[in-house]
């Protein structure tokens, strides 16, 4: 009777709970809530996948169906064949941009984080303070000036505009610095005493130890870039330069009523990240939980 | 500086926790780097960071002081008049801007408390060993991985007034089944907030969960020995242990919510009327569609000032007050 109250706060001043028969009932209630919640997370995604294999009429029917009848790949065929929706090109653009950004972020952030973690030099505090300050500043103030900078560089409507500006990752530097600070310093000192220079130490001693952290950072940078929405919508304006999220937006503008096509587009945009996620979810989730920095 | 070579390697230099304690002397490497070395390491990042973060952060101020129409060759200096126009609610710039700030405010006020409390509840329920826990954690996190475009397009379909799943199943349950979820108010706000919570719940829950697992079990044991009930243990062990993480999550969630753009752009298109047109939408339209960059830059600074003030307020609310007044209510 009172077990439902466990999740809510009992009124202040209640005495201690009766220990008998509590744990078992509480545990089953917990499972029930958690698995029902999980159903609420999975079913919309399942419905998206199902709808992408429906006919146009079935997708627009007022009676929802979970199993396409007839099963058809019409929506996908439409997407692949229509001239104004080059989905495969969008897919390739997204892949290329996200991969290149991830590589740039990992390379530049790891290199920059190393001296911030391990060397004493003039100006170190200034650099680090700037990185932290920019971690706090909302990105919205950068959008307008960056549009002008990118236009000045002649990058408007090119993938370069999607890759290079987003590779300046203050978070990446912060993240890698935390990792380097927690590495035992003895190995590096031994290598230095053996006459290696700092770059050799970094490449031969530090990078092999930092692989898990670098992989996590690469994943987070890939996902962030893959899902970026506002910037690509405004910086890319021809069908063949768009990334998937920007493409989905134009698809929706053009196909208000063709939900089968929209769902097919959404599925295509989901498959790569879902595959990455299912294989590497532990890395991704650990990376995110570590971003809730300790203190 | 010179004692480093003789130190005992088995002496724990750092306990592997966070950074060095404030004011302690960091262990130096035995060989000081050449003056140029750190800068060579930093150079590639600093080029990117300088060009696309530091430079625009300053350049934006310059833009906001000009009548900067992207399509015109000249950009006359106008001083603070972009800001003045924004503060005049009757001007063409000011009216819609504050309307959009209001929309952002409504969304933030509605979504942030939910995004702080619901994920905490989920994390508390998951903070135990049971079969399928990692699977559930991944399931809750999955929508976040898909990104705003996929999520918004999907829910636009599910929330469709006539053919959406949501209305269909509400009808099955005998509830009103013809709500215009995306084209009427207050249903549109309910939809945007609900979808946002569904989308990012897993993100905050994962951060909470990691922090919960860092709270020492001995503290709970000790509290139990002292006769503390479940609620008291939550009040006096869990919440204080979560304080730094709660602060981070609060600031982060406020900033994310105040930057809401994609959900409105794709699900409601700023409607019905202009009611869900957020500040970010207004800034992007003004600056990147109408090319009134001076005004848009000024707007982005105003929004940022408000956000910074809010963040400072959160830091102040979450400051460590135990040292001063041990029995102060923790606001969550």
């Amino acid at each position: 009777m009172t077990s439902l109250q466990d999740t809510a706060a009992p009124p202040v001043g209640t005495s201690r709970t009766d220990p008998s028969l509590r744990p078992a009932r509480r545990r089953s209630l917990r499972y029930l809530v958690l698995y029902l919640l999980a159903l609420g997370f999975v079913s919309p995604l399942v419905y998206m996948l199902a709808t992408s294999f429906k006919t146009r009429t079935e997708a627009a029917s007022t009676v929802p169906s979970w199993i396409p009848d007839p099963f058809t790949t019409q929506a996908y065929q439409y997407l692949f064949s229509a001239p104004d929706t080059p989905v495969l090109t969008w897919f390739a653009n997204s892949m290329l941009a996200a991969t290149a950004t991830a590589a740039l972020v990992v390379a530049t952030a790891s290199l920059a984080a190393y001296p911030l973690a391990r060397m004493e030099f003039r100006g170190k505090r200034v650099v680090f303070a700037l990185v932290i300050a920019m971690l706090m500043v909302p990105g919205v103030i950068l959008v307008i000036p960056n549009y002008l900078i990118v236009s000045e560089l002649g990058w408007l409507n090119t993938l370069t505009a999607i890759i290079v500006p987003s590779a300046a990752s203050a978070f990446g530097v912060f993240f890698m610095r935390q990792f380097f600070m927690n590495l035992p310093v003895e190995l590096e000192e031994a290598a230095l005493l053996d006459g290696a220079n700092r770059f050799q130490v970094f490449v031969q001693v530090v990078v092999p130890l930092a692989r898990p952290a670098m992989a996590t950072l690469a994943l987070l940078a890939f996902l962030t870039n893959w899902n970026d929405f506002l910037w690509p919508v405004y910086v890319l304006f021809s069908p063949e330069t768009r990334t998937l999220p920007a493409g989905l937006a134009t698809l929706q503008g053009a196909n208000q009523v063709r939900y089968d096509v929209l769902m097919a587009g959404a599925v295509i945009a989901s498959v790569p990240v879902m595959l990455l996620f299912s294989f590497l979810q532990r890395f991704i989730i650990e990376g995110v939980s570590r971003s809730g920095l300790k203190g | 500086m010179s004692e480093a070579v003789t130190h005992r390697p088995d002496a724990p230099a750092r306990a592997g926790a966070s950074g060095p304690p404030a004011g302690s002397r960091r262990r130096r490497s035995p060989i000081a780097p050449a003056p140029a070395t750190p800068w060579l390491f930093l150079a590639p990042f600093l080029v990117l960071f300088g060009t696309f973060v530091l430079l625009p952060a300053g350049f934006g101020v310059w833009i906001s002081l000009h009548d900067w129409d992207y399509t015109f060759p000249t950009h006359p200096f106008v001083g603070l008049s972009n800001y003045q126009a924004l503060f005049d609610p009757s001007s063409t710039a000011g009216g819609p801007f504050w309307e959009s700030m209001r929309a952002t405010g409504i969304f933030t006020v509605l979504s942030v408390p939910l995004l702080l409390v619901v994920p905490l509840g989920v994390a508390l329920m998951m903070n135990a060993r049971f079969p399928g826990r990692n699977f559930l954690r991944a399931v809750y996190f999955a929508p976040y991985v898909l990104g705003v475009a996929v999520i918004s397009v999907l829910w636009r379909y599910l929330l469709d007034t006539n053919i959406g799943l949501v209305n269909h199943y509400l009808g099955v349950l005998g509830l009103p089944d013809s709500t215009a979820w995306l084209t009427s108010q207050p249903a549109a706000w309910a939809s945007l907030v609900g979808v946002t919570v569904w989308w990012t719940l897993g993100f905050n829950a994962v951060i909470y969960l990691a922090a919960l697992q860092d709270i020492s079990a001995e503290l709970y044991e000790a509290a139990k020995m002292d006769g503390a009930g479940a609620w008291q243990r939550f009040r006096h062990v869990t919440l204080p242990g979560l304080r730094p993480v709660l602060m981070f999550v609060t600031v982060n969630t406020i900033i994310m919510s105040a930057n809401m753009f994609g959900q409105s752009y794709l699900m409601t298109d700023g409607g019905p009327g202009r009611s869900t047109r957020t500040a970010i939408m207004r800034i992007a339209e003004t600056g990147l569609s109408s090319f009134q960059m001076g005004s848009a830059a000024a707007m982005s600074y105003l929004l940022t000032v408000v956000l910074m003030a809010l963040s400072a307020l959160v830091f102040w609310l979450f400051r460590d007050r135990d040292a001063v007044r041990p029995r102060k209510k923790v606001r969550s």
Side-chain angles (χ1 to χ4, degrees):
Chain A
M1 185 194 126
T2 47
S3 66
L4 275 176
Q5 277 203 346
D6 292 339
T7 44
V12 185
T14 46
S15 59
R16 292 181 54 200
T17 51
D18 169 28
S20 62
L21 75 76
R22 257 284 162 67
R25 278 175 64 183
R26 209 152 122 183
R27 207 171 302 144
S28 53
L29 179 76
R30 170 187 295 189
Y31 290 161
L32 186 71
V33 172
L34 287 175
Y35 278 98
L36 274 179
L37 191 64
L39 196 66
F41 277 89
V42 173
S43 49
L45 302 177
V46 171
Y47 197 70
M48 170 173 91
L49 187 67
T51 303
S52 72
F53 292 108
K54 290 177 190 170
T55 59
R56 186 177 179 167
T57 16
E58 195 186 358
S61 150
T62 51
V63 180
S65 57
W66 288 85
I67 294 165
D69 179 27
F71 185 92
T72 173
T73 53
Q74 271 176 13
Y76 292 94
Q77 286 165 11
Y78 172 89
L79 268 183
F80 289 137
S81 62
D84 55 338
T85 59
V87 170
L88 284 178
T89 311
W90 296 345
F91 185 91
N93 288 343
S94 274
M95 256 314 170
L96 184 64
T99 310
T101 304
L104 267 176
V105 165
V106 169
T108 58
S110 309
L111 278 169
Y114 188 61
L116 292 176
R118 283 285 197 255
M119 300 178 203
E120 293 301 329
F121 59 96
R122 255 213 169 131
K124 170 174 162 175
R125 297 178 83 156
V126 176
V127 172
F128 190 60
L130 280 174
V131 168
I132 294 295
M134 288 301 158
L135 209 54
M136 308 288 245
V137 169
V140 60
I141 59 165
L142 306 179
V143 171
I144 305 288
N146 262 338
Y147 189 93
L148 290 172
I149 291 170
V150 162
S151 137
E152 206 54 44
L153 291 163
W155 293 352
L156 281 185
N157 206 21
T158 68
L159 270 193
T160 318
I162 308 298
I163 297 166
V164 179
S166 64
S169 172
F171 168 78
V173 172
F174 182 83
F175 181 86
M176 289 312 295
R177 177 179 169 272
Q178 289 289 92
F179 181 83
F180 292 150
M181 304 253 281
N182 290 333
L183 282 180
V185 75
E186 284 75 17
L187 283 168
E188 291 156 64
E189 287 180 347
L192 283 172
L193 288 172
D194 286 347
N197 69 34
R198 298 274 174 168
F199 287 96
Q200 289 167 319
V201 170
F202 179 75
V203 172
Q204 290 166 12
V205 179
V206 178
V207 168
L209 293 172
R211 276 205 189 113
M214 287 163 92
T216 303
L217 179 60
L219 276 170
L220 293 177
F222 183 97
L223 287 176
T224 306
N225 187 272
W226 180 277
N227 291 328
D228 195 16
F229 184 67
L230 185 148
W231 181 249
V233 161
Y234 285 100
V235 175
L236 307 171
F237 18 85
S238 32
E240 67 280 2
T241 58
R242 290 202 176 96
T243 55
L244 275 167
L248 269 184
T250 54
L251 203 60
Q252 180 169 279
N255 296 278
Q256 290 281 16
V257 284
R258 292 222 47 185
Y259 280 119
D260 55 326
V261 172
L262 275 176
M263 291 305 112
V267 168
I268 293 168
S270 311
V271 163
V273 283
M274 272 291 135
L275 281 177
L276 262 186
F277 181 60
S278 53
F279 288 120
L280 302 164
Q281 53 109 352
R282 288 201 43 193
F283 277 105
I284 296 172
I285 287 177
E286 266 163 34
V288 166
S289 31
R290 254 187 296 160
S291 70
L293 21 138
K294 312 271 185 291
Chain B
M1 212 174 129
S2 54
E3 34 86 87
V5 188
T6 53
H7 74 265
R8 299 263 320 270
D10 56 351
R14 278 192 304 279
S18 48
S24 75
R25 281 181 41 203
R26 294 262 310 282
R27 283 241 321 279
R28 305 266 178 92
S29 300
I31 301 161
T37 305
W39 297 104
L40 287 172
F41 273 96
L42 282 161
F45 170 75
L46 285 182
V47 168
L48 287 175
F49 188 67
T51 312
F52 299 106
V53 181
L54 293 180
L55 172 71
F59 181 37
V61 179
W62 182 246
I63 296 171
S64 74
L65 301 176
H66 293 75
D67 181 6
W68 198 299
D69 187 320
Y70 178 73
T71 53
F72 285 20
T74 55
H75 314 299
F77 181 84
V78 293
L80 293 175
S81 72
N82 278 323
Y83 292 92
Q84 275 160 353
L86 288 177
F87 278 110
D88 175 6
S90 61
S91 74
T92 49
F97 173 66
W98 291 109
E99 206 180 6
S100 73
M101 285 291 271
R102 185 167 162 266
T104 290
I106 291 173
F107 179 78
T108 307
V109 165
L110 292 174
S111 64
V112 169
L114 286 171
L115 282 170
L116 292 181
V117 174
V118 178
L120 181 58
V122 172
L124 286 169
M125 278 197 282
M126 291 183 74
N127 192 25
R129 292 194 177 283
F130 60 87
R133 192 177 120 208
N134 286 348
F135 166 76
L136 284 176
R137 194 178 63 165
V139 165
Y140 301 150
F141 194 79
Y144 183 77
V145 177
L146 290 180
V148 74
V150 169
I151 295 310
S152 302
V153 166
L154 166 61
W155 280 96
R156 186 179 179 129
Y157 178 40
L158 300 178
L159 291 164
D160 186 287
T161 312
N162 303 312
I163 61 171
L165 267 195
V166 173
N167 272 346
H168 174 81
Y169 284 116
L170 286 174
V172 169
L173 294 171
L175 295 161
D177 63 351
S178 55
T179 311
W181 286 108
L182 299 174
T183 50
S184 70
Q185 287 291 26
W189 281 127
S191 303
L192 290 170
V193 169
V195 168
T196 305
V197 170
W198 185 85
W199 175 42
T200 55
L201 176 153
F203 183 85
N204 283 354
V206 157
I207 293 177
Y208 281 140
L209 193 56
L212 285 173
Q213 284 166 351
D214 277 351
I215 299 176
S216 139
E218 286 157 16
L219 287 175
Y220 287 108
E221 287 303 318
K224 254 190 178 147
M225 302 279 272
D226 291 343
W231 168 245
Q232 286 168 308
R233 290 201 298 273
F234 176 74
R235 249 301 266 111
H236 296 288
V237 180
T238 310
L239 276 183
L242 284 180
R243 198 174 53 86
V245 167
L246 268 174
M247 182 166 78
F248 167 80
V249 171
T250 307
V251 170
N252 196 48
T253 306
I254 290 175
I255 290 179
M256 294 292 280
S257 288
N259 274 297
M260 197 269 265
F261 167 81
Q263 300 95 305
S264 268
Y265 185 90
L266 289 168
M267 283 169 59
T268 60
D269 203 6
R274 292 196 302 202
S275 58
T276 60
R277 184 182 302 195
T278 60
I280 299 283
M281 268 177 108
R282 178 76 198 155
I283 290 168
E285 263 171 36
T286 308
L288 306 177
S289 297
S290 317
F291 292 125
Q292 297 298 324
M293 298 198 156
S295 183
M299 288 180 205
S300 66
Y301 280 95
L302 289 181
L303 176 64
T304 300
V305 165
V306 172
L307 282 180
M308 293 302 226
L310 269 178
S311 304
L313 179 70
V314 173
F315 283 131
W316 182 78
L317 283 174
F318 278 89
R319 74 196 185 282
D320 200 345
R321 282 167 291 191
D322 293 1
V324 193
R325 273 179 295 183
R327 299 200 46 123
K328 193 87 202 283
K329 259 223 166 70
V330 178
R331 309 268 297 278
S332 61

